[in-house]
Amino acid sequence: MKILLDTNIVIHRETNNIIEPEIGELFYWIDRLNYKKYIHPITVLEIEKYKNEKVVRTFSIKLNSYNKIKSTLPLSKEVNEICSSIDQNQNDINDTQLLNEVYCSRINLLITQDKKIHFKAKKLGIQESVFSIQSFLEKVVSENPDLVEYDVLSVKNVNFAEVNIKDNFFDSFRKDYSEFDKWYLSKFDEQCYVCYSKQNLAAFLYIKVEDEEENYTDIEPAFEKKKRLKIGTLKVVSNGFKIGERFLKIVFDNAHQYKVDEIYVTVFEKRPEQIDLIDMLQQWGFIKHGIKSTKNGEELVLKRSFGKTLPVNIKNPKLTFPFISWETRKYIIKIEPEYHDELFPDSINTRTDKSKFIENEPHRNRIGKVYISHSQDRHLKPGDIIIIYRIGESSPKRYSSTITSICIVEDVITNFESFNDFYKVCYRRTMIKKEELEINWWNKMKYKPFVIKFLYAFSLPTPKLTLNDLNQIGVIEDIMNMPRGFIEITNKQFKILTRFAYKLK
């Protein structure tokens, strides 16, 4: 496997400044899998343009550890036609040369953090071969479970005082905020969320609720008076385990619990991880509001409306997650217990050993998951609601089978042309290994499978409604002859189901 690295990634890796942990993780996996690291002649030329001769000499030595593409490949007709209308400067033209190597199959994969390169890759139809650091790490973690050192601890809610302020993880905050250490120490008895990987702090989240009288005079334009949840501190090191999405679920859960009207965050736009954070938040409905002026500079202010009065976006449920629409259809879907407990660790029954399900795999941490089916009933649409039914492990099933979660359909994908197309949709959102997907899901049945991509919105409270409960309240009338596939229920039945689920709490 030949991996081409974008110039900025090479510079980031070889600079004498502090190396970001995700770069180390990226190179660890490339070497672990015996992939060949390549750089393009353009990368060499760009580095040689540095004015500091000492830096150039140092880099020229370090670049000897990479394989070098010796000659630039002429642009293919298709690449030239598509990218010429997009490219606006020499840097854009140089980036197109990198994409050309992938398009012409001289290189298998390109790794870059440049959004414009990813945009052009999508236009060229080669987006599956162009990765960000995060998406590449997710790919290799999912495809090589036997090589993963699963020592990622579960997300924990702890006091600030329990986290080592001297950890290098916080160095970036110290660079951005001169008063960071003083602020951090003042929060000693407040709570935060943390996650560790290989004994190193990998993620940190601090949130707080602010009432209508909060002072926002340093934000322009001024905020209206509302109850808000502030994301005070959020940083996640890319490691392939999708911890960022896990932390975002915590943000939404808290916003829902405290019934806030809005969520907001202030963030600088200085470093790649900050740009990645902004991009992730915008994918989940945050919009740019304005600027916060501080003694450390101007921060971007992002906000997101929140609450039951928010109009639900059916076509793109992420933008209004976790809220659901009463205008869409509702379905109960059955899942075997071994699949359920892997995909929905927050919804495991109390009698199940939760210690076996620490959040150390991407499919457990993701809000977005997949449901694979061979059913001929394939008419689900984005915005439809699916209620997760965990099949019981003991008899009688009517007392051990439970309703555990409420999810929102994001997309329905059918008519796959090949197994590879099917696998690309599934592999980062499911626990099922590639071999099993091919043998038991792709080749076994006459009808090829289809995939429902959905968002894990709510875990229903414990004790959870059983199949017998569903029968008693009129949601499932004939428990001895439950239909296969998707069981559609009415809005009225859904209201009864949720009312009784929370009443049992």
Side-chain angles (χ1 to χ4, degrees):
M1 181 74 74
K2 297 177 181 178
I3 307 289
L4 180 61
L5 300 170
D6 187 13
T7 303
N8 287 335
I9 287 181
V10 175
I11 292 174
H12 195 177
R13 175 68 174 89
E14 304 300 346
T15 184
N16 290 326
N17 295 329
I18 297 173
I19 303 299
E20 295 293 341
E22 58 264 30
I23 293 292
E25 193 77 11
L26 169 66
F27 277 71
Y28 164 82
W29 272 104
I30 292 174
D31 293 338
R32 182 77 182 269
L33 296 171
N34 295 315
Y35 292 167
K36 293 182 178 180
K37 299 188 292 288
Y38 279 81
I39 57 174
H40 197 275
I42 286 173
T43 294
V44 178
L45 288 174
E46 288 180 345
I47 291 174
E48 288 177 347
K49 290 179 182 178
Y50 272 45
K51 295 180 180 180
N52 189 319
E53 294 183 5
K54 183 177 180 181
V55 171
V56 173
R57 287 196 302 271
T58 301
F59 264 96
S60 65
I61 295 171
K62 292 180 178 180
L63 292 183
N64 289 331
S65 63
Y66 297 83
N67 296 289
K68 296 178 182 177
I69 296 175
K70 295 182 179 179
S71 59
T72 299
L73 189 67
L75 283 184
S76 72
K77 179 181 178 181
E78 295 82 0
V79 171
N80 185 55
E81 287 178 351
I82 291 175
C83 295
S84 59
S85 61
I86 301 172
D87 294 343
Q88 297 179 344
N89 53 48
Q90 189 59 48
N91 285 336
D92 292 343
I93 295 172
N94 290 346
D95 292 340
T96 294
Q97 290 284 355
L98 302 185
L99 281 170
N100 190 59
E101 299 289 340
V102 179
Y103 188 86
C104 296
S105 302
R106 282 216 300 186
I107 289 293
N108 301 108
L109 301 178
L110 168 64
I111 301 178
T112 176
Q113 299 292 82
D114 191 295
K115 291 182 181 179
K116 200 167 188 178
I117 294 179
H118 286 278
F119 174 77
K120 289 190 285 188
K122 189 173 183 179
K123 289 286 186 181
L124 290 166
I126 58 172
Q127 65 269 28
E128 299 296 339
S129 298
V130 180
F131 291 82
S132 65
I133 295 175
Q134 174 68 26
S135 62
F136 178 80
L137 292 176
E138 286 181 52
K139 168 184 165 64
V140 295
V141 166
S142 298
E143 292 181 346
N144 302 277
D146 294 338
L147 298 180
V148 177
E149 298 175 4
Y150 282 130
D151 61 352
V152 178
L153 302 181
S154 58
V155 174
K156 293 184 178 181
N157 189 202
V158 299
N159 286 339
F160 271 69
E162 297 177 60
V163 185
N164 181 13
I165 188 176
K166 296 182 179 179
D167 195 302
N168 291 338
F169 178 91
F170 295 116
D171 286 350
S172 60
F173 291 112
R174 278 186 271 271
K175 287 182 179 179
D176 289 341
Y177 305 99
S178 58
E179 70 282 10
F180 175 77
D181 283 0
K182 183 178 179 180
W183 171 85
Y184 188 97
L185 291 172
S186 72
K187 300 290 181 182
F188 71 96
D189 58 347
E190 294 191 38
Q191 293 189 318
C192 58
Y193 296 88
V194 295
C195 183
Y196 289 84
S197 176
K198 299 176 183 176
Q199 299 182 335
N200 296 315
L201 189 59
F204 184 95
L205 169 66
Y206 167 63
I207 52 180
K208 71 170 185 171
V209 177
E210 297 176 343
D211 63 26
E212 293 86 347
E213 303 306 316
E214 187 74 24
N215 183 359
Y216 297 114
T217 55
D218 53 357
I219 291 178
E220 180 64 35
F223 274 157
E224 297 177 4
K225 289 189 174 184
K226 290 182 179 180
K227 185 177 183 181
R228 292 181 172 84
L229 182 75
K230 179 181 180 181
I231 304 175
T233 310
L234 173 58
K235 179 181 176 181
V236 177
V237 173
S238 300
N239 55 19
F241 294 111
K242 212 63 183 177
I243 299 297
E245 211 163 287
R246 173 66 169 152
F247 272 31
L248 199 54
K249 179 70 162 58
I250 293 171
V251 170
F252 290 138
D253 287 347
N254 276 271
H256 188 264
Q257 177 183 346
Y258 292 106
K259 297 180 172 58
V260 303
D261 302 308
E262 204 166 80
I263 309 170
Y264 81 101
V265 62
T266 66
V267 58
F268 286 113
E269 299 178 85
K270 298 177 180 179
R271 291 186 300 277
E273 74 269 14
Q274 293 168 332
I275 304 301
D276 288 345
L277 172 60
I278 293 168
D279 184 55
M280 180 183 75
L281 292 172
Q282 289 179 325
Q283 290 177 31
W284 289 90
F286 284 80
I287 62 173
K288 293 183 179 180
H289 168 78
I291 297 295
K292 179 180 179 179
S293 299
T294 74
K295 64 180 182 181
N296 299 295
E298 291 187 343
E299 293 182 86
L300 177 66
V301 180
L302 298 170
K303 70 175 184 179
R304 186 189 196 269
S305 296
F306 200 86
K308 293 181 179 180
T309 59
L310 179 68
V312 175
N313 191 315
I314 294 174
K315 292 184 178 180
N316 188 353
K318 276 185 177 180
L319 300 180
T320 50
F321 179 87
F323 298 103
I324 62 176
S325 171
W326 291 97
E327 298 176 4
T328 59
R329 291 169 297 188
K330 318 292 186 295
Y331 297 91
I332 295 175
I333 61 173
K334 294 176 283 186
I335 296 184
E336 296 290 341
E338 63 269 26
Y339 294 151
H340 175 277
D341 294 351
E342 280 282 348
L343 285 175
F344 305 98
D346 288 343
S347 296
I348 297 174
N349 291 334
T350 52
R351 54 182 169 270
T352 305
D353 183 5
K354 289 191 177 185
S355 65
K356 297 178 182 178
F357 297 95
I358 58 175
E359 297 88 337
N360 61 3
E361 297 190 46
H363 61 261
R364 292 178 186 163
N365 290 312
R366 296 190 74 114
I367 298 174
K369 304 177 190 292
V370 297
Y371 182 82
I372 306 168
S373 174
H374 286 98
S375 173
Q376 295 184 55
D377 182 6
R378 305 184 176 208
H379 61 272
L380 282 81
K381 297 179 180 179
D384 285 349
I385 305 306
I386 51 180
I387 302 104
I388 305 299
Y389 172 92
R390 183 186 186 274
I391 298 174
E393 297 172 271
S394 59
S395 296
K397 299 288 188 184
R398 65 187 299 161
Y399 297 113
S400 61
S401 299
T402 55
I403 293 291
T404 71
S405 315
I406 296 174
C407 305
I408 308 166
V409 175
E410 185 180 12
D411 196 8
V412 179
I413 306 170
T414 60
N415 302 321
F416 293 104
E417 294 184 2
S418 66
F419 170 72
N420 284 336
D421 291 337
F422 168 65
Y423 177 65
K424 287 174 184 176
V425 172
C426 298
Y427 77 91
R428 283 188 257 174
R429 292 183 174 219
T430 181
M431 61 164 286
I432 304 173
K433 302 299 183 283
K434 185 175 184 179
E435 295 76 12
E436 185 181 349
L437 283 172
E438 185 168 16
I439 295 170
N440 294 332
W441 293 90
W442 184 255
N443 293 327
K444 193 172 184 179
M445 305 288 287
K446 176 182 177 181
Y447 296 101
K448 292 303 181 185
F450 73 103
V451 174
I452 302 171
K453 296 170 71 174
F454 65 91
L455 307 176
Y456 179 23
F458 298 105
S459 172
L460 293 173
T462 301
K464 302 187 186 300
L465 286 176
T466 65
L467 175 57
N468 186 67
D469 293 326
L470 296 180
N471 176 243
Q472 294 295 315
I473 63 178
V475 175
I476 300 293
E477 295 181 1
D478 187 357
I479 62 176
M480 301 305 294
N481 297 290
M482 286 185 65
R484 296 183 178 181
F486 307 99
I487 306 170
E488 186 170 2
I489 63 175
T490 65
N491 269 342
K492 181 179 179 181
Q493 289 173 315
F494 181 65
K495 288 179 181 179
I496 292 171
L497 184 156
T498 53
R499 185 172 74 246
F500 273 85
Y502 285 93
K503 184 178 180 181
L504 286 177
K505 183 178 179 181

